[in-house]
Amino acid sequence: MIDKQTIAIVGATGAQGGGLVRAIAGDPQGRFHARALTRKPGSEKARELAGLGVELVEADLDDVDSLRRAFRGAHGAFCVTNFWEHFSPDKELAQAANLANAASGADVAHVIWSTLDDTRRRVPLDDDRMPTLMSKYKVPHFDAKGEADRFFVESGVPTTFLLTSFYWDNLIAFGMGPKAGSDGVLALSMPMGDRKLPGIAAEDIGKCAFGIFARGVELAGQTVGIAGEHLTGAEMAAALTRALGREVRYQDVPPEVYRALGFPGAEDLGNMFQYKRDFETDYCRARSVEESRSLNPALQSFDDWLVRHASLIPLG
Ligand SMILES: NC(=O)c1ccc[n+]([C@@H]2O[C@H](COP(=O)([O-])OP(=O)(O)OC[C@H]3O[C@@H](n4cnc5c(N)ncnc54)[C@H](OP(=O)(O)O)[C@@H]3O)[C@@H](O)[C@H]2O)c1
């Protein structure tokens, strides 16, 4: 019997890592063994993974020794941080540094770091097009991930930098679904103007990561951007209208209005949409649908995703 290569998966109980766990468990060739990292091996989600025959290991992003132990003997490591749990870019940076140190200390052969753009490269802090947040960021949950890329480079661990896209699942769980206006018509509100937003089914991120590990270390040192489709708000609204059988209208919202909505993270997300809108060409070019499909032949379009998920979208 050939020994399977172990892939240690951070965020295995979540959207990105969970997709990778399921891709490994469902691989007809059985190429990899999935090792799921979690702080809570007794949680319902962790027990579900154990039911798939996945190895569970307790580890915490704030504890580098726990990560080193969890990575020991692994060929690959999928690394992701969850900004939305704490809203702190500085904490995200520290967690990413722990991941890079642990992967290098455990001699992992191939890391995938789930990253995003450091928007300050195009919009420096003294650029007034969008406000500076937390004194040193433009889009905190993007900038910290992009800044953290250097920890992986400096650690010397062979790393593929995975640029992810907007999850369509945000329409279900992140409060971004269509809401009825005063006229009763559902409106999908985003500050994207008439520009295209690269989007993806969250489950496909892990499947693309599987494709990267399956291709081998040839993709180490490279940045790979993924998306299921690039769509304007109007195109998304038209697809929602077809899927829901009820009119959905796209409503462009000025970024300054979005930033002032007052929910936690509104300023961060307002700047994020403005960045994607204003740098549409480069932002989309960095996320090739064709390359994503070559990594994951089952890549879903927005219509595909809607067939399975439209009924789960809360309509406010
Ligand atoms: N929503 C979007 O459109 C979008 C798009 C691109 C990128 N992202 C990024 O995706 C990231 C979140 O990923 P996700 O959506 O896959 O997360 P998720 O579904 O919310 O799940 C969070 C995962 O992170 C793990 N985790 C959190 N803190 C941890 C810690 N201290 N130690 C160990 N594990 C920890 C959790 O594991 P346990 O609880 O089991 O320990 C869980 O598996 C965010 O940083 C966000 O910026 C989001």
Side-chain angles (χ1 to χ4, degrees):
M1 197 184 92
I2 300 166
D3 273 350
K4 293 183 182 189
Q5 292 177 325
T6 293
I7 307 291
I9 302 166
V10 179
T13 58
Q16 296 194 24
L20 176 56
V21 170
R22 288 181 284 277
I24 291 175
D27 174 25
Q29 295 178 51
R31 280 165 278 189
F32 300 113
H33 165 81
R35 179 184 294 165
L37 277 61
T38 175
R39 290 163 296 180
K40 298 163 274 184
S43 72
E44 197 176 317
K45 284 184 175 172
R47 288 204 314 271
E48 271 172 34
L49 297 179
L52 293 173
V54 171
E55 177 190 358
L56 291 183
V57 176
E58 189 168 340
D60 191 321
L61 291 170
D62 297 323
D63 175 356
V64 70
D65 290 332
S66 74
L67 293 174
R68 207 174 287 122
R69 282 193 297 275
F71 286 167
R72 201 166 291 146
H75 161 82
F78 178 79
C79 295
V80 62
T81 46
N82 185 12
F83 177 88
W84 301 111
E85 184 166 312
H86 45 70
F87 292 76
S88 164
D90 293 345
K91 187 172 173 105
E92 192 162 40
L93 278 163
Q95 292 182 335
N98 284 346
L99 284 166
N101 287 337
S104 147
D107 281 331
V108 172
H110 189 188
V111 163
I112 296 178
W113 163 232
S114 177
T115 188
L116 286 166
D117 318 50
D118 185 340
T119 65
R120 297 165 298 183
R121 296 205 184 107
R122 290 199 175 87
V123 191
L125 294 184
D126 61 3
D127 187 323
D128 292 337
R129 273 177 291 181
M130 57 178 77
T132 293
L133 304 177
M134 303 177 188
S135 1
K136 50 181 178 174
Y137 301 100
K138 288 296 186 184
V139 184
H141 79 285
F142 269 51
D143 298 345
K145 291 183 183 70
E147 185 175 329
D149 289 358
R150 71 181 166 85
F151 298 136
F152 293 89
V153 173
E154 287 163 9
S155 75
V157 70
T159 303
T160 302
F161 300 88
L162 183 66
L163 278 178
T164 58
S165 287
F166 177 89
Y167 308 172
W168 293 318
D169 308 69
N170 292 336
L171 302 182
I172 301 172
F174 220 62
M176 292 189 181
K179 310 224 173 359
S182 50
D183 58 359
V185 178
L186 292 170
L188 177 69
S189 303
M190 292 186 301
M192 283 300 297
D194 60 358
R195 304 305 166 89
K196 288 184 184 292
L197 172 68
I200 194 163
E203 187 73 9
D204 278 335
I205 296 176
K207 289 186 178 171
C208 289
F210 177 88
I212 291 171
F213 282 127
R215 213 173 268 184
V217 285
E218 71 180 73
L219 289 176
Q222 295 191 35
T223 297
V224 175
I226 54 171
E229 226 175 337
H230 302 161
L231 295 171
T232 63
E235 288 167 338
M236 288 179 73
L240 282 160
T241 299
R242 289 192 297 274
L244 296 169
R246 184 174 161 191
E247 184 186 358
V248 179
R249 189 186 284 158
Y250 169 59
Q251 187 177 317
D252 183 28
V253 187
E256 55 276 20
V257 172
Y258 198 95
R259 280 192 282 270
L261 287 176
F263 63 84
E267 289 179 299
D268 187 331
L269 292 172
N271 281 4
M272 175 196 81
F273 280 119
Q274 182 176 342
Y275 179 83
K276 293 180 186 184
R277 182 195 71 180
D278 293 352
F279 299 96
E280 178 210 26
T281 307
D282 290 344
Y283 195 81
C284 287
R285 193 185 296 128
R287 290 160 170 80
S288 159
V289 175
E290 291 67 34
E291 181 161 8
S292 308
R293 184 156 290 114
S294 78
L295 291 167
N296 166 22
L299 187 77
Q300 296 171 68
S301 65
F302 189 44
D303 283 330
D304 295 334
W305 180 85
L306 282 168
V307 168
R308 294 174 196 156
H309 296 91
S311 63
L312 304 175
I313 299 173
L315 303 175

